[in-house]
Amino acid sequence: VGVKVIFETCELTEEEIRRGTEICIEAGADFVKTSTGFFTGGKNEGATYEVIEAMMEAADGRCKIKGAGGIRDREKFLRLIDMGIDRMGIGYKSTAKVLGLDK
């Protein structure tokens, strides 16, 4: 069983995301994740391209990245795959659109 650490990246600076990722790796985490999907304290963008890029650069292949929050269309889904993300959390309301089944 792997260890996954979830950040509420909307509340963090890019430097805090990078440092948090590094700390998680040092502590033995297998995954870092962008959002719980339940944050209600402000903006809730989750897996932005900038956040995923910061996590991936900080991780440098030493742990996996899971993006969640804000993945609501096929374009973003495919771009995150192209970026090399390991896993994605997609809400059930967005699944058909992300998979291209909402026609």
Side-chain angles (χ1 to χ4, degrees), residues 5-18 20-21 32-39 42-56 65-70 76:
V5 179
I6 305 170
F7 300 175
E8 293 297 356
T9 54
C10 292
E11 287 295 299
L12 303 174
T13 65
E14 183 178 323
E15 183 55 36
E16 289 169 332
I17 293 166
R18 290 176 184 278
T21 300
V32 289
K33 180 181 171 187
T34 60
S35 174
T36 61
F38 298 103
F39 179 68
K43 67 178 183 172
N44 188 5
E45 297 174 328
T48 67
Y49 303 124
E50 296 80 13
V51 165
I52 296 299
E53 185 175 345
M55 285 181 148
M56 291 182 77
I65 310 299
K66 181 174 182 178
K76 186 167 190 178

Side-chain angles (χ1 to χ4, degrees), residues 21-99:
T21 300
E22 187 64 42
I23 290 167
C24 291
I25 292 166
E26 290 171 10
D30 300 295
F31 274 91
V32 289
K33 180 181 171 187
T34 60
S35 174
T36 61
F38 298 103
F39 179 68
T40 59
K43 67 178 183 172
N44 188 5
E45 297 174 328
T48 67
Y49 303 124
E50 296 80 13
V51 165
I52 296 299
E53 185 175 345
M55 285 181 148
M56 291 182 77
E57 286 177 359
D60 194 28
R62 297 173 294 158
C63 79
K64 295 183 180 190
I65 310 299
K66 181 174 182 178
I71 305 169
R72 296 189 176 91
D73 60 49
R74 190 166 182 78
E75 179 183 344
K76 186 167 190 178
F77 177 77
L78 294 174
R79 183 167 171 195
L80 290 173
I81 289 172
D82 287 344
M83 290 176 72
I85 197 168
D86 296 289
R87 290 195 182 158
M88 284 185 266
I90 301 167
Y92 72 92
K93 291 180 182 177
S94 301
T95 302
K97 186 171 185 179
V98 167
L99 296 176

